[in-house]
């Protein structure tokens, strides 16, 4: 399975597992745990979660799924903006660690920008790193202007990723944010690479999938992963769909495929406001 380099040279899987909407219903807990285990068995060892997801419920699902295999998993979690102060981020991180029953979060992100100054959040993240509670930190839902501001904050250049919405139907980041992050050697983590399912009804995806023996979802994920610095984190609570999605890692879209998708889902022709779910 292909990997992506973080700024410090550490490699992570280019295809991971999302957990948005997990941990919201107790009746789904075992199914969600099994879906994550199925993904890890297939090499999708990067798991993305957040304190917001199920108000901590998704982190508890992750905690159950990774028992006995923590050393082989790269855990990403996120802090609410209103918890991203000097003291608040540290307390929130400790709660996340407790829910997942781990000692360290591999990558800790600011979920989106709120009222707390970036400098204060970075200071808290750097303290968490020094205490061994996180190994890397990054951001989520920051646009190009926000990223420029972050780089001018003390220790702001330690940012390891920016997690943003990116899929065939939402290509706005290709105008500036995606190339800017590539130039700075900051990987982009694409959430909702399936566009919450809406884009999968486009016949072109089925046509390309039939050509390669893959599902439309795998085609959509492979398209996102065509960039060497992009990590895709599709979410599914169904183990079989996770297995189908895993095929995206080895799916090579050719020039004909890319041209067809370019025609159906055109790139941006100018700057746009960063799309957020």
């Amino acid at each position: 399975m292909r990997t992506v380099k973080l700024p410090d040279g550490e490699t992570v899987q280019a295809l991971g597992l999302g957990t948005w909407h997990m941990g919201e219903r107790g009746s789904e807990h075992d199914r969600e745990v099994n879906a994550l285990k199925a993904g890890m068995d297939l090499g999708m060892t990067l798991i993305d979660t957040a304190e917001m997801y199920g108000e901590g419920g998704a982190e508890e699902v992750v905690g159950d799924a990774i028992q006995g295999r923590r050393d082989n998993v790269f855990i990403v979690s996120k802090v609410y903006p209103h918890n991203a102060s000097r003291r608040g981020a540290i307390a929130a991180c400790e709660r996340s660690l407790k829910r997942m029953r781990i000692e360290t979060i591999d990558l800790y992100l600011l979920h989106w920008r709120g009222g707390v100054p970036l400098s204060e959040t970075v200071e808290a993240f750097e303290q968490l790193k020094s205490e061994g509670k996180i190994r890397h930190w990054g951001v989520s839902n920051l646009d190009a202007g926000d990223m420029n501001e972050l780089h001018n904050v003390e220790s702001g250049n330690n940012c390891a990723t920016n997690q943003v919405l990116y899929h065939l139907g939402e290509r706005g980041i290709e105008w500036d944010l995606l190339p800017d992050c590539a130039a700075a050697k900051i990987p982009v983590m694409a959430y909702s690479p399936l566009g919450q399912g809406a884009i999968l009804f486009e016949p072109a995806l089925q046509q390309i999938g039939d050509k390669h023996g893959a599902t439309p979802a795998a085609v959509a994920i492979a398209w996102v992963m065509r960039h060497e610095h992009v990590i895709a984190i599709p979410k599914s609570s169904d183990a079989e769909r996770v297995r189908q999605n895993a095929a995206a890692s080895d799916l090579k879209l050719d020039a004909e495929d890319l041209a067809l998708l370019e025609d159906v889902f055109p790139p941006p022709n100018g700057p746009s406001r960063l799309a957020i779910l």
Side-chain angles (χ1 to χ4, degrees):
M1 187 169 286
R2 188 168 65 80
T3 59
V4 170
K5 277 189 178 183
L6 298 180
D8 70 348
E10 181 176 350
T11 59
V12 298
Q13 298 300 326
L15 180 57
L17 298 162
T19 62
W20 191 20
H21 294 308
M22 287 189 180
E24 296 178 354
R25 294 177 297 278
S27 60
E28 290 289 300
H29 182 86
D30 290 347
R31 183 168 178 260
E32 292 164 350
V33 168
N34 289 334
L36 293 179
K37 287 182 175 180
M40 288 185 283
D41 289 342
L42 292 165
M44 301 164 73
T45 54
L46 182 151
I47 301 179
D48 175 80
T49 190
E51 66 170 340
M52 186 191 83
Y53 300 165
E55 291 300 322
E59 290 181 327
E60 293 176 352
V61 171
V62 171
D64 286 345
I66 66 173
Q67 288 305 299
R69 53 204 306 176
R70 172 66 185 99
D71 291 344
N72 300 316
V73 182
F74 189 92
I75 300 295
V76 183
S77 193
K78 298 181 281 293
V79 60
Y80 267 125
H82 60 261
N83 286 337
S85 62
R86 288 184 187 87
R87 296 176 62 181
I90 293 168
C93 180
E94 290 172 346
R95 291 192 295 270
S96 291
L97 291 169
K98 184 176 181 180
R99 283 190 288 265
M100 291 186 281
R101 288 169 282 159
I102 59 178
E103 295 181 356
T104 305
I105 294 172
D106 296 297
L107 176 58
Y108 199 43
L109 310 181
L110 171 64
H111 206 151
W112 66 90
R113 191 169 184 183
V116 178
L118 289 175
S119 58
E120 186 171 339
T121 301
V122 170
E123 183 180 332
F125 284 172
E126 288 293 320
Q127 181 176 337
L128 287 166
K129 275 179 63 176
S130 68
E131 295 174 353
K133 293 174 182 175
I134 66 173
R135 297 200 301 115
H136 308 276
W137 64 263
V139 294
S140 180
N141 295 306
L142 264 62
D143 64 19
D146 292 324
M147 292 300 288
N148 287 332
E149 182 178 340
L150 176 64
H151 291 320
N152 288 320
V153 168
E154 184 177 356
S155 301
N157 287 329
N158 290 336
C159 177
T161 191
N162 187 7
Q163 183 180 128
V164 294
L165 178 66
Y166 183 46
H167 57 77
L168 274 162
E170 183 47 71
R171 301 181 59 177
I173 68 168
E174 293 179 10
W175 184 260
D176 50 11
L177 183 62
L178 192 64
D180 286 355
C181 285
K185 301 187 183 304
I186 296 176
V188 166
M189 195 173 291
Y191 72 79
S192 294
L194 302 179
Q196 295 187 296
I199 61 174
L200 302 182
F201 294 98
E202 169 53 52
L205 286 168
Q206 184 66 60
Q207 177 183 332
I208 296 171
D210 290 343
K211 171 182 170 181
H212 292 280
T215 63
V219 173
I221 297 167
W223 178 87
V224 166
M225 294 172 60
R226 75 196 189 284
H227 299 286
E228 65 178 14
H229 68 293
V230 172
I231 300 163
I233 47 171
K235 176 262 179 181
S236 179
S237 297
D238 183 272
E240 180 54 35
R241 287 182 182 172
V242 170
R243 295 185 186 98
Q244 293 170 358
N245 291 346
S249 182
D250 298 318
L251 177 55
K252 306 299 182 185
L253 300 178
D254 59 32
E256 181 182 37
D257 301 330
L258 294 174
L260 176 58
L261 293 173
E262 196 86 354
D263 184 58
V264 177
F265 301 99
N269 56 14
S272 60
R273 189 183 185 92
L274 181 67
I276 296 175
L277 289 180

